[in-house]
Amino acid sequence: MKSPVGRLVILTGAGISAESGLGTFRDRDGLWTRHDLSKVATPEGFAEDPARVHAFYNARRANARAAAPNAAHLALAALERRWSGDFLIVTQNVDDLHERAGSRNVLHMHGVLEGALCAGCGHRWPASAVMAADDPCPACAAPRTRPDIVWFGEYPYQMERIWQALRAADLFVAIGTSGTVYPAAAFAQDAARAGAECLELNAEASAVASDFHALRIGPATRLVPEWVAEWRDGPG
Ligand code: BJW
């Protein structure tokens, strides 16, 4: 049994929410097999056809609202409650299943489905169930509403905080991510260089599996609770 102390950074990707019924991107039946990513996940695609992009995210928001956290999200929240030390989840996911499972320290580096962003003035506000580009911004009234999502070519959120945490980490764990989208795909290399032990939990080896010290293959709802159970009960 290991003691739940030290500085832990966990990176999650679409695979952790797959068993909650939310689609991944690059698996055989993933979102990018049914949608052209250049049309729905780039600023250029949004400029060309904002209604198509809103339809894509409105549908995903509805799916996320109907989904529930699974055993993997719940196990991470339970581990955080008894962890003494720094505990940070960096998620590429735009759903809120970590928060609904009870996790407290969560950074959404690719944005959130539940957020709206004014492409004019940068004001942010909670998303309505169905958003449209001509919804007026509550701050400046411009009809330039977009989802608060980080698209290809845009700078992910909270990068300074994330790199700081990776540099300080004792342990870095990536769960359910293909390791094909940067900068997240480089986090294991960043953390390992700074001295962290790196573990990958995934349904199949990621594109950057060789950057990790260890790899466990299986579904997140089995692997994550098993890994969490290896940590002795802490004070909390
Ligand atoms: C299970 C499971 C189960 C299934 N249990 N596991 C050329 C070279 C290098 C980089 C670039 C390049 N050209 C352009 C770039 C940069 C670009 C990039 O990386 N492109 C690549 C395609 C090459 N990146 C960007 O543009 C980013 N910004 C940027 O780089 O800014 C400049 C910068 C530079 C340096 C430092 C800092 C900044 C922005 C990226 C934005 C990504 N946006 C998306 C869509 C928006 C969000 C949304 O709509 O949800 O984010 S793309 C999509 O991919 C989404 C995801 O968050 C992201 C990662 O996907 P993820 O989570 O890994 O999902 P999958 O489907 O790929 O994998 C699922 C995994 O789960 C698989 O491994 C399965 O096996 C596993 N799995 N079931 C456990 N039950």
Side-chain angles (χ1 to χ4, degrees), residues 13-176:
I16 197 167
S17 296
E19 292 162 88
S20 291
L22 302 183
T24 64
F25 296 93
R26 296 171 185 81
D27 288 312
R28 245 195 319 277
D29 55 349
L31 286 167
W32 295 160
T33 64
R34 284 174 279 125
H35 300 271
D36 178 347
L37 75 84
S38 71
K39 303 279 188 203
V40 296
T42 62
E44 295 77 17
F46 184 65
E48 182 185 294
D49 191 346
R52 175 171 50 205
V53 175
H54 274 297
F56 176 68
Y57 283 101
N58 287 340
R60 289 186 51 209
R61 188 176 308 107
N63 289 343
R65 285 183 181 185
N70 64 46
H73 300 103
L74 293 166
L76 293 183
L79 184 61
E80 181 177 7
R81 281 194 290 276
R82 58 179 207 260
W83 194 267
S84 30
D86 295 341
F87 186 107
L88 177 66
I89 295 177
V90 177
T91 187
Q92 298 168 89
N93 298 343
V94 294
D95 65 60
D96 59 356
L97 295 181
H98 285 302
E99 287 87 346
R100 283 160 55 197
S103 290
R104 281 167 296 199
N105 290 300
V106 184
L107 297 183
H108 284 268
M109 65 179 290
H110 290 164
V112 288
L113 283 168
E114 291 297 337
L117 170 64
C118 176
C121 73
H123 180 70
R124 289 189 163 81
W125 68 100
S128 51
V130 177
M131 287 184 3
D134 57 5
D135 292 342
C137 167
C140 74
R144 298 185 60 195
T145 292
R146 56 168 282 180
D148 190 5
I149 301 282
V150 177
W151 290 320
F152 284 106
E154 297 186 316
Y155 205 80
Y157 296 152
Q158 309 267 10
M159 286 310 303
E160 286 311 318
R161 261 182 87 185
I162 293 168
W163 277 318
Q164 199 176 21
L166 291 170
R167 281 194 297 268
D170 301 307
L171 176 59
F172 171 76
V173 183
I175 303 170

